[in-house]
Protein backbone atom coordinates (compact mmCIF):
# COMPACT_ATOMS: atom_id res chain seq x y z
CA UNK A 1 0.00 0.00 0.00
CA UNK A 2 2.77 2.36 0.95
CA UNK A 3 4.53 1.46 -2.25
CA UNK A 4 1.47 2.44 -4.29
CA UNK A 5 1.49 5.88 -2.69
CA UNK A 6 5.15 6.36 -3.51
CA UNK A 7 4.50 5.27 -7.08
CA UNK A 8 1.58 7.66 -7.38
CA UNK A 9 3.70 10.48 -6.00
CA UNK A 10 6.48 9.78 -8.50
CA UNK A 11 3.97 9.67 -11.36
CA UNK A 12 2.42 12.98 -10.37
CA UNK A 13 5.87 14.56 -10.12
CA UNK A 14 6.81 13.25 -13.55
CA UNK A 15 3.61 14.53 -15.14
CA UNK A 16 4.12 17.87 -13.47
CA UNK A 17 7.63 18.16 -14.85
CA UNK A 18 6.52 17.16 -18.32
CA UNK A 19 3.77 19.74 -18.31
CA UNK A 20 6.11 22.52 -17.20
CA UNK A 21 9.03 21.70 -19.40
CA UNK A 22 9.13 23.69 -22.62
CA UNK A 23 9.94 21.94 -25.87
CA UNK A 24 12.82 24.36 -26.39
CA UNK A 25 15.97 25.52 -24.65
CA UNK A 26 17.05 29.17 -24.58
CA UNK A 27 20.68 30.17 -24.16
CA UNK A 28 22.25 33.62 -23.99
CA UNK A 29 24.41 34.47 -26.95
CA UNK A 30 25.18 38.14 -26.48
CA UNK A 31 24.32 41.20 -24.41
CA UNK A 32 24.97 44.58 -25.92
CA UNK A 33 24.07 47.72 -23.98
CA UNK A 34 23.60 50.98 -25.86
CA UNK A 35 23.57 54.64 -24.85
CA UNK A 36 20.72 57.07 -25.32
CA UNK A 37 20.52 59.84 -27.90
CA UNK A 38 21.69 62.57 -25.54
CA UNK A 39 21.12 61.25 -22.01
CA UNK A 40 21.57 57.69 -20.86
CA UNK A 41 19.26 56.90 -17.94
CA UNK A 42 19.55 53.10 -17.93
CA UNK A 43 22.89 51.31 -17.85
CA UNK A 44 23.36 47.64 -18.57
CA UNK A 45 27.10 47.72 -19.30
CA UNK A 46 28.07 45.68 -16.22
CA UNK A 47 25.84 42.80 -17.24
CA UNK A 48 27.73 39.83 -18.72
CA UNK A 49 27.24 36.21 -19.58
CA UNK A 50 29.53 33.95 -17.59
CA UNK A 51 30.56 30.31 -17.52
CA UNK A 52 29.89 27.48 -19.90
CA UNK A 53 26.15 27.90 -19.42
CA UNK A 54 26.36 31.62 -20.23
CA UNK A 55 24.44 32.65 -17.16
CA UNK A 56 23.53 36.31 -16.72
CA UNK A 57 25.67 38.01 -14.10
CA UNK A 58 26.55 41.51 -13.02
CA UNK A 59 24.50 44.61 -12.38
CA UNK A 60 22.35 47.23 -14.05
CA UNK A 61 21.48 50.78 -13.05
CA UNK A 62 18.41 52.95 -13.38
CA UNK A 63 19.68 56.50 -12.86
CA UNK A 64 16.36 57.87 -11.59
CA UNK A 65 12.86 56.70 -10.72
CA UNK A 66 10.98 55.99 -13.93
CA UNK A 67 7.40 57.25 -13.82
CA UNK A 68 4.65 55.76 -15.93
CA UNK A 69 3.77 59.16 -17.47
CA UNK A 70 7.18 59.91 -18.85
CA UNK A 71 8.99 56.63 -19.44
CA UNK A 72 8.24 54.07 -22.11
CA UNK A 73 9.84 50.86 -23.30
CA UNK A 74 9.75 49.32 -26.75
CA UNK A 75 10.96 45.91 -27.88
CA UNK A 76 11.84 45.09 -31.46
CA UNK A 77 12.28 41.41 -32.25
CA UNK A 78 14.32 39.93 -35.08
CA UNK A 79 14.76 36.30 -35.93
CA UNK A 80 17.44 34.45 -37.85
CA UNK A 81 15.99 30.94 -38.30
CA UNK A 82 19.24 29.45 -39.63
CA UNK A 83 21.38 31.28 -37.09
CA UNK A 84 23.41 32.80 -39.93
CA UNK A 85 22.87 36.43 -38.99
CA UNK A 86 20.24 37.00 -41.66
CA UNK A 87 17.69 38.71 -39.39
CA UNK A 88 14.06 39.36 -40.26
CA UNK A 89 11.75 41.54 -38.23
CA UNK A 90 9.20 39.50 -36.29
CA UNK A 91 5.53 40.44 -35.98
CA UNK A 92 5.47 40.16 -32.19
CA UNK A 93 7.05 43.55 -31.47
CA UNK A 94 6.13 45.57 -28.39
CA UNK A 95 5.42 49.18 -29.42
CA UNK A 96 6.38 52.01 -27.04
CA UNK A 97 4.51 51.07 -23.86
CA UNK A 98 4.34 52.98 -20.55
CA UNK A 99 7.12 51.64 -18.37
CA UNK A 100 5.10 50.26 -15.46
CA UNK A 101 2.68 48.49 -17.83
CA UNK A 102 5.63 47.07 -19.66
CA UNK A 103 7.21 45.70 -16.48
CA UNK A 104 3.88 44.27 -15.28
CA UNK A 105 3.27 42.51 -18.59
CA UNK A 106 6.63 41.49 -19.94
CA UNK A 107 9.15 41.58 -17.09
CA UNK A 108 6.74 39.56 -14.95
CA UNK A 109 6.28 36.90 -17.66
CA UNK A 110 9.72 36.67 -19.22
CA UNK A 111 12.28 37.70 -16.61
CA UNK A 112 10.90 37.59 -13.07
CA UNK A 113 10.33 33.78 -12.99
CA UNK A 114 14.08 33.34 -13.51
CA UNK A 115 14.98 35.44 -10.46
CA UNK A 116 14.87 34.86 -6.70
CA UNK A 117 14.47 38.12 -4.84
CA UNK A 118 17.17 38.53 -2.19
CA UNK A 119 19.24 35.70 -3.67
CA UNK A 120 19.88 36.11 -7.36
CA UNK A 121 18.76 39.75 -7.51
CA UNK A 122 17.96 42.68 -5.24
CA UNK A 123 15.55 44.18 -7.78
CA UNK A 124 12.16 44.43 -6.06
CA UNK A 125 9.40 42.00 -6.98
CA UNK A 126 7.16 43.59 -9.60
CA UNK A 127 3.41 43.32 -8.98
CA UNK A 128 0.24 45.32 -9.72
CA UNK A 129 1.36 48.18 -7.47
CA UNK A 130 4.91 48.58 -8.73
CA UNK A 131 5.22 52.09 -10.06
CA UNK A 132 7.40 54.06 -10.63
CA UNK A 133 10.20 51.67 -11.53
CA UNK A 134 12.69 52.58 -8.80
CA UNK A 135 16.10 54.17 -9.23
CA UNK A 136 19.05 52.07 -8.15
CA UNK A 137 21.84 49.70 -9.02
CA UNK A 138 20.71 46.09 -8.90
CA UNK A 139 22.68 42.86 -9.08
CA UNK A 140 21.87 39.72 -11.01
CA UNK A 141 23.78 36.65 -9.88
CA UNK A 142 24.37 33.75 -12.19
CA UNK A 143 20.87 33.55 -13.68
CA UNK A 144 19.61 31.20 -16.40
CA UNK A 145 16.26 31.75 -18.09
CA UNK A 146 13.34 29.83 -16.67
CA UNK A 147 11.02 29.52 -19.68
CA UNK A 148 8.06 27.84 -17.92
CA UNK A 149 5.81 30.85 -18.46
CA UNK A 150 7.07 31.64 -21.95
CA UNK A 151 4.85 30.99 -24.95
CA UNK A 152 4.86 27.47 -26.36
CA UNK A 153 5.37 28.71 -29.89
CA UNK A 154 8.67 30.50 -30.32
CA UNK A 155 10.87 30.53 -33.42
CA UNK A 156 13.97 28.36 -33.40
CA UNK A 157 17.35 29.80 -34.29
CA UNK A 158 18.79 33.11 -33.18
CA UNK A 159 16.43 35.77 -31.80
CA UNK A 160 17.52 39.33 -31.19
CA UNK A 161 15.54 41.66 -28.92
CA UNK A 162 16.28 45.38 -28.97
CA UNK A 163 14.92 46.78 -25.72
CA UNK A 164 14.82 50.59 -25.80
CA UNK A 165 13.90 52.91 -22.94
CA UNK A 166 12.31 56.26 -23.80
CA UNK A 167 11.85 59.45 -21.81
CA UNK A 168 10.11 62.54 -23.20
CA UNK A 169 10.02 60.76 -26.57
CA UNK A 170 13.83 60.36 -26.62
CA UNK A 171 15.84 57.16 -26.57
CA UNK A 172 17.60 57.07 -23.16
CA UNK A 173 19.48 53.80 -23.58
CA UNK A 174 18.80 50.12 -23.60
CA UNK A 175 20.01 46.64 -24.22
CA UNK A 176 20.26 44.24 -27.13
CA UNK A 177 19.78 40.64 -26.06
CA UNK A 178 20.63 37.84 -28.47
CA UNK A 179 19.50 34.32 -27.55
CA UNK A 180 19.69 30.94 -29.22
CA UNK A 181 16.51 28.82 -29.16
CA UNK A 182 16.85 25.13 -29.85
CA UNK A 183 14.58 22.10 -29.61
CA UNK A 184 15.00 20.32 -26.33
CA UNK A 185 16.85 17.03 -26.80
CA UNK A 186 14.90 14.39 -24.94
C1 LIG B 1 29.05 38.51 -10.98
O1 LIG B 1 28.50 39.77 -10.65
C2 LIG B 1 28.94 40.31 -9.41
C3 LIG B 1 28.27 41.66 -9.23
O2 LIG B 1 26.90 41.56 -9.21
C4 LIG B 1 30.44 40.46 -9.40
O3 LIG B 1 30.86 40.90 -8.11
C5 LIG B 1 31.11 39.15 -9.75
O4 LIG B 1 32.49 39.35 -9.88
C6 LIG B 1 30.56 38.62 -11.08
N1 LIG B 1 31.15 37.32 -11.37
C7 LIG B 1 31.82 37.07 -12.50
C8 LIG B 1 32.36 35.69 -12.63
O5 LIG B 1 31.97 37.90 -13.38
Amino acid sequence: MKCAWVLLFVLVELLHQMACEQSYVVSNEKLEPFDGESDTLVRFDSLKTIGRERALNGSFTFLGDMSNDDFKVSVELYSSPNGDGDFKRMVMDVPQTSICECFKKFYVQFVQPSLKQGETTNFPIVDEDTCPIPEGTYYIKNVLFNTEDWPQQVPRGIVKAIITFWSGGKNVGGLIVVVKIEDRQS
Side-chain angles (χ1 to χ4, degrees), residues 16 101 103 177:
H16 182 70
E101 307 322 315
F103 269 74
V177 183

Side-chain angles (χ1 to χ4, degrees), residues 125-138:
I125 291 175
V126 172
D127 61 23
E128 274 311 302
D129 303 320
T130 305
C131 208
I133 301 301
E135 160 177 20
T137 294
Y138 303 101

Side-chain angles (χ1 to χ4, degrees), residues 1-66:
M1 195 56 198
K2 196 173 168 200
C3 182
W5 280 115
V6 170
L7 198 64
L8 188 67
F9 177 77
V10 169
L11 266 176
V12 168
E13 270 303 290
L14 261 177
L15 282 173
H16 182 70
Q17 278 183 20
M18 279 164 66
C20 289
E21 197 159 86
Q22 287 287 10
S23 57
Y24 55 84
V25 180
V26 176
S27 46
N28 295 308
E29 283 288 297
K30 202 159 83 176
L31 295 172
E32 213 175 273
F34 57 86
D35 285 347
E37 247 175 82
S38 42
D39 294 325
T40 301
L41 301 179
V42 295
R43 293 204 175 278
F44 296 97
D45 30 328
S46 314
L47 217 47
K48 304 255 153 38
T49 60
I50 60 165
R52 204 158 46 89
E53 290 190 293
R54 296 173 163 272
L56 284 183
N57 190 74
S59 60
F60 60 93
T61 300
F62 297 150
L63 277 83
D65 283 348
M66 294 191 278

Side-chain angles (χ1 to χ4, degrees), residues 129-172:
D129 303 320
T130 305
C131 208
I133 301 301
E135 160 177 20
T137 294
Y138 303 101
Y139 65 79
I140 289 192
K141 270 190 206 154
N142 216 5
V143 165
L144 294 171
F145 284 121
N146 169 352
T147 56
E148 257 172 45
D149 296 334
W150 288 28
Q152 295 210 295
Q153 305 294 330
V154 301
R156 303 303 192 260
I158 304 281
V159 170
K160 176 158 75 173
I162 305 180
I163 305 164
T164 309
F165 288 70
W166 306 84
S167 170
K170 275 193 166 168
N171 168 351
V172 291

Side-chain angles (χ1 to χ4, degrees), residues 77-80 87 90 155 157-161 177-181:
L77 292 169
Y78 297 85
S79 144
S80 170
F87 283 100
M90 290 166 61
I158 304 281
V159 170
K160 176 158 75 173
V177 183
V178 180
V179 297
K180 184 154 79 182
I181 304 175

